[in-house]
Amino acid sequence: MVETPSRNLPFGSLVAAMVTPFTADGHVDFDATAALATKLVDDGCDGLVVSGTTGETSTLEDSEKEDLYRVVAETVGDRARVIAGTGTNHTSHSVEMARRAERAGAHAQLVVTPYYNKPTQSGVLAHFHAVAEASDLPIMIYDIPGRSAIPITTETMLRLADHPKIGALKDAKADFAAVTRVLAATDLDVYSGDDGLTLPWMAAGAVGVVSVSAHVATRAFRALVDAAAAEDFVEARRIHFELDPVIRAVMTHIPGAVSAKQILHLQGVLPNAVVRLPLVEPDRSELEPVLADLAEAGWDAAVLRRRQDVPA
């Protein structure tokens, strides 16, 4: 078990965006969920996002999400912050999910920019305020225009930061100038929403990362976050370079939820790599570049191939 330094961070510092394990017939596997949550926390995560994008939230029923919040909170809620993915593009639905998350024992919530609808910035502001007022759970805002179709402008973010229940930003916009303004002008805890930008974002003052790749390299990410927090940038840079091929393996070839489950299965952490449509498991040609990147990172690709029966 990795001992994480004591921090007064209501959302944690190394936050895994958890996959949702399924049984072979596609039902939520709550036993595997509890086991995965335990392993992630044992290995150094002090926060877990449950039912976020990587958790395939868009294909989960509301009752499944609430049960997932409860299972993870009951399993590791005394050792890590449980952050419920509650955001949708329907404000009243997001409000309902915020209340369900609070009822299930989550500590906080991750709320994404309303997607598909493409509201004005006034609509974005009103949406987040409505969700914030719906429960006592603090909010981490998730700014990811690649999925939501619109960014949260810096001016809107500065206004959102004034709300007492909005405490953090997961930035997946890759706009260093914008995140610098937020860091300089607000008290928000800022998190990198791109695994590969953890080091530069923390060098500028971010407190950590919400990560998909941390599923499969948790201890290395823990060491990176701790080194950056201690301003040991020589060590942080070394780990950053070490993690680069792992991050490429997880994040650049196939959807992150798919690749994370594949690698966790190869590692023997998950009993299978089942995903729900419209996601599908990769064919052998799609998995090959993932294995090649892991081999570049020093992983035993031959062993991984044997486990998956992937031809050399």
Side-chain angles (χ1 to χ4, degrees):
M1 181 184 301
V2 173
E3 295 295 332
T4 57
S6 176
R7 293 177 174 82
N8 185 27
L9 293 173
F11 301 88
S13 57
L14 176 58
V15 183
M18 272 187 66
V19 300
T20 298
F22 296 124
T23 61
D25 58 359
H27 293 96
V28 176
D29 188 334
F30 292 104
D31 289 339
T33 296
L36 176 60
T38 298
K39 182 182 189 306
L40 289 170
V41 175
D42 284 350
D43 287 350
C45 289
D46 52 2
L48 300 173
V49 170
V50 181
S51 183
T53 305
T54 307
E56 299 176 70
T57 185
S58 59
T59 62
L60 294 172
E61 303 298 333
D62 290 353
S63 59
E64 292 176 320
K65 295 177 187 180
E66 185 174 348
D67 287 343
L68 282 164
Y69 305 152
R70 182 173 294 105
V71 165
V72 176
E74 290 176 350
T75 302
V76 297
D78 59 338
R79 298 196 291 139
R81 308 302 290 172
V82 177
I83 305 165
T86 60
T88 73
N89 66 333
H90 182 184
T91 302
S92 64
H93 188 195
S94 303
V95 164
E96 170 63 19
M97 293 314 301
R99 291 170 176 158
R100 284 178 177 248
E102 185 173 34
R103 185 165 67 220
H107 302 115
Q109 55 183 323
L110 178 71
V111 184
V112 70
T113 315
Y115 43 85
Y116 187 75
N117 310 56
K118 300 183 74 172
T120 63
Q121 291 297 304
S122 294
V124 170
L125 189 73
H127 172 85
F128 282 113
H129 281 176
V131 179
E133 294 299 327
S135 78
D136 289 331
L137 297 181
I139 286 178
M140 177 189 289
I141 287 176
Y142 186 11
D143 186 10
I144 181 165
R147 290 185 183 272
S148 64
I150 60 169
I152 303 173
T153 67
T154 304
E155 289 69 25
T156 299
M157 190 62 66
L158 298 181
R159 293 178 66 186
L160 287 167
D162 289 333
H163 196 288
K165 290 180 187 170
I166 296 175
L169 165 65
K170 177 186 176 183
D171 179 83
K173 193 158 52 181
D175 184 335
F176 192 71
V179 83
T180 295
R181 283 189 63 196
V182 173
L183 286 163
T186 77
D187 292 325
L188 291 175
D189 289 335
V190 175
Y191 294 78
S192 174
D194 291 295
D195 292 352
L197 295 180
T198 304
L199 175 55
W201 260 228
M202 290 193 70
V207 300
V209 60
V210 181
S211 171
V212 180
S213 306
H215 278 96
V216 304
T218 314
R219 292 171 184 258
F221 269 96
R222 178 76 264 164
L224 171 61
V225 168
D226 289 345
E231 299 185 2
D232 182 355
F233 292 113
V234 172
E235 176 66 3
R237 186 165 55 248
R238 183 191 68 77
I239 302 167
H240 170 76
F241 292 147
E242 176 185 292
L243 280 169
D244 177 62
V246 178
I247 293 169
R248 280 190 272 118
V250 177
M251 301 304 298
T252 65
H253 303 295
I254 52 180
V258 176
S259 57
K261 283 187 171 180
Q262 287 289 321
I263 299 170
L264 287 167
H265 179 47
L266 295 174
Q267 291 175 318
V269 175
L270 290 183
N272 61 53
V274 172
V275 290
R276 282 183 175 173
L277 285 170
L279 297 182
V280 295
E281 294 188 52
D283 61 28
R284 294 182 179 185
S285 66
E286 291 170 324
L287 193 58
E288 275 294 345
V290 175
L291 296 174
D293 285 337
L294 295 177
E296 181 183 335
W299 292 30
D300 191 337
V303 171
L304 296 178
R305 282 189 172 88
R306 285 198 297 273
R307 288 183 64 91
Q308 190 70 5
D309 192 27
V310 175

